[in-house]
Amino acid sequence: METETEMLNTYFSNGAEVEISSDEDGFRGSWYEGIVVRPIQKKQRTHKDDEDDESSNKLRVLVEYKTLMADKKGKRPLKEAMTLVQLRPRPPPERRRKFKVSDEVDAYYNDGWWEGVVMEVSSDGKYSVFFRGTRDQLEFEESRIRIHREWANGEWTPPFGDEGEEKKKEEKLVSTETKPNNEAAEIFSKGSLVEVSSDEEGFEGAWFVATIVKLLDNGNYLIEYQTLRNNDDTAFLQEETDRLHIRPRPPDIGSFESFKVLEEVDALHNDGWWVGVISKVLKGQRYKVYFKASNEELEFKHADIRLHLDWINGKWVRASQVHFPG
């Protein structure tokens, strides 16, 4: 595995074209084009910095955005200091192609590339894309969509320029069709074990285990959390939630020997599963996980991390487009 210095010299040298991820609220899952201006020297360790050792030891680079400006007139490009985990090389150009429902894609929107999933293909060739981070669904022309790829350890997944190999992989995928309404009702019936998310500030990107108490007349669900208590601590918390904030428990897809740097995972923290990215692999099957929503980096043991999956249109989806039956 390459060190930070090796990654800097290989991929993020001065003038290198990159894509930059944002930590700001409402921007999770987006990538903006930019260039590397220069590396930033690590802060020298002093007694005053002992409480800030982690941040002082991170290698940072100064980047300049191509589409985001620092002034209202739009004449001065925005510059920011970023850690390497927030950067990746700019993907090489790829040929135009057709997309299908459930394809993981990036859609160009608001001056950046946003991770999403194709939900519908219209008769006029436009694509309706669902964005997990904001739960918005917008329509795009084919020219403003590209296949979503992950970059880790110097490689793109799925790789570029190997359509034949990608087709073989697609043929091996285990998939499920969108479940009819009656089957969906069975999934979210009284007593079903589910996971629930919240839009409340400070809880973005977290899923909490709960049980469905009953289906309400307005189509929402009354759920009872398994780990969160009410204010009086006399019982487990009960809340009303809708279909956009509930999903089945993720399938048991078996254990992994290890996770890789930049792999998207869920980490068990504060009674819930929080979406993050492996930022460092430590000894003794321990990892540092970076959470974009809160701009935090915390350490976890292997047993408290699971592969991140998304429940989209009745299917479990991950970045590599592997689908697991729900």
Side-chain angles (χ1 to χ4, degrees), residues 100-140:
K100 61 182 183 297
V101 172
S102 294
D103 274 351
E104 288 270 332
V105 298
D106 297 334
Y108 194 77
Y109 178 66
N110 278 353
D111 300 319
W113 291 97
W114 295 74
E115 299 175 18
V117 178
V118 175
M119 302 297 289
E120 297 178 21
V121 181
S122 64
S123 58
D124 59 358
K126 293 183 180 179
Y127 298 89
S128 182
V129 178
F130 176 79
F131 301 99
R132 295 183 295 269
T134 61
R135 289 188 171 84
D136 290 328
Q137 189 164 322
L138 303 173
E139 194 171 67
F140 294 88

Side-chain angles (χ1 to χ4, degrees), residues 49-295:
D49 297 326
D50 284 344
E51 295 181 358
D52 196 31
D53 279 344
E54 291 300 325
S55 62
S56 66
N57 286 329
K58 287 182 181 179
L59 181 59
R60 295 177 178 269
V61 297
L62 183 66
V63 298
E64 180 180 286
Y65 290 90
K66 288 187 175 182
T67 58
L68 300 184
M69 299 296 153
D71 60 331
K72 293 182 179 180
K73 294 183 179 180
K75 295 182 177 180
R76 184 163 54 91
L78 177 65
K79 293 182 180 180
E80 287 187 325
M82 295 290 179
T83 61
L84 298 191
V85 75
Q86 295 172 278
L87 303 177
R88 67 184 187 186
R90 183 180 179 183
E94 55 185 290
R95 67 184 185 181
R96 295 276 294 273
R97 58 166 294 169
K98 299 294 183 181
F99 301 94
K100 61 182 183 297
V101 172
S102 294
D103 274 351
E104 288 270 332
V105 298
D106 297 334
Y108 194 77
Y109 178 66
N110 278 353
D111 300 319
W113 291 97
W114 295 74
E115 299 175 18
V117 178
V118 175
M119 302 297 289
E120 297 178 21
V121 181
S122 64
S123 58
D124 59 358
K126 293 183 180 179
Y127 298 89
S128 182
V129 178
F130 176 79
F131 301 99
R132 295 183 295 269
T134 61
R135 289 188 171 84
D136 290 328
Q137 189 164 322
L138 303 173
E139 194 171 67
F140 294 88
E141 300 281 353
E142 180 184 307
S143 60
R144 300 179 74 83
I145 299 178
R146 68 186 186 188
I147 283 291
H148 175 69
R149 303 177 194 269
E150 298 286 342
W151 187 79
N153 300 320
E155 296 182 352
W156 289 99
T157 304
F160 284 89
D162 197 350
E163 299 295 335
E165 193 64 29
E166 287 188 29
K167 185 174 181 180
K168 290 179 182 178
K169 290 180 180 179
E170 289 181 1
E171 292 174 351
K172 295 180 180 180
L173 299 182
V174 180
S175 62
T176 61
E177 295 299 325
T178 303
K179 297 181 180 297
N181 290 335
N182 60 336
E183 290 189 37
E186 291 179 6
I187 294 176
F188 301 121
S189 59
K190 180 180 178 180
S192 297
L193 200 60
V194 295
E195 290 189 346
V196 180
S197 66
S198 172
D199 291 331
E200 186 177 341
E201 185 176 355
F203 288 88
E204 300 93 337
W207 289 88
F208 296 89
V209 180
T211 303
I212 295 179
V213 177
K214 65 177 179 178
L215 177 63
L216 303 176
D217 293 337
N218 61 4
N220 291 343
Y221 301 91
L222 179 65
I223 57 94
E224 180 178 279
Y225 293 98
Q226 291 199 343
T227 56
L228 303 182
R229 307 282 291 183
N230 60 19
N231 292 334
D232 299 330
D233 197 24
T234 56
F236 287 107
L237 178 64
Q238 291 190 357
E239 281 187 337
E240 179 179 340
T241 190
D242 58 29
R243 287 185 178 274
L244 290 177
H245 297 83
I246 192 171
R247 68 183 189 183
R249 289 296 307 277
D252 181 6
I253 57 176
S255 60
F256 290 78
E257 292 185 1
S258 63
F259 295 97
K260 300 177 181 179
V261 171
L262 299 184
E263 192 164 24
E264 195 170 21
V265 296
D266 298 333
L268 186 60
H269 178 61
N270 283 348
D271 299 319
W273 290 98
W274 298 73
V275 182
V277 177
I278 299 290
S279 58
K280 191 172 183 180
V281 179
L282 306 173
K283 294 182 179 179
Q285 283 204 314
R286 301 187 72 86
Y287 305 87
K288 284 190 175 180
V289 178
Y290 174 73
F291 301 98
K292 292 182 182 179
S294 61
N295 194 24

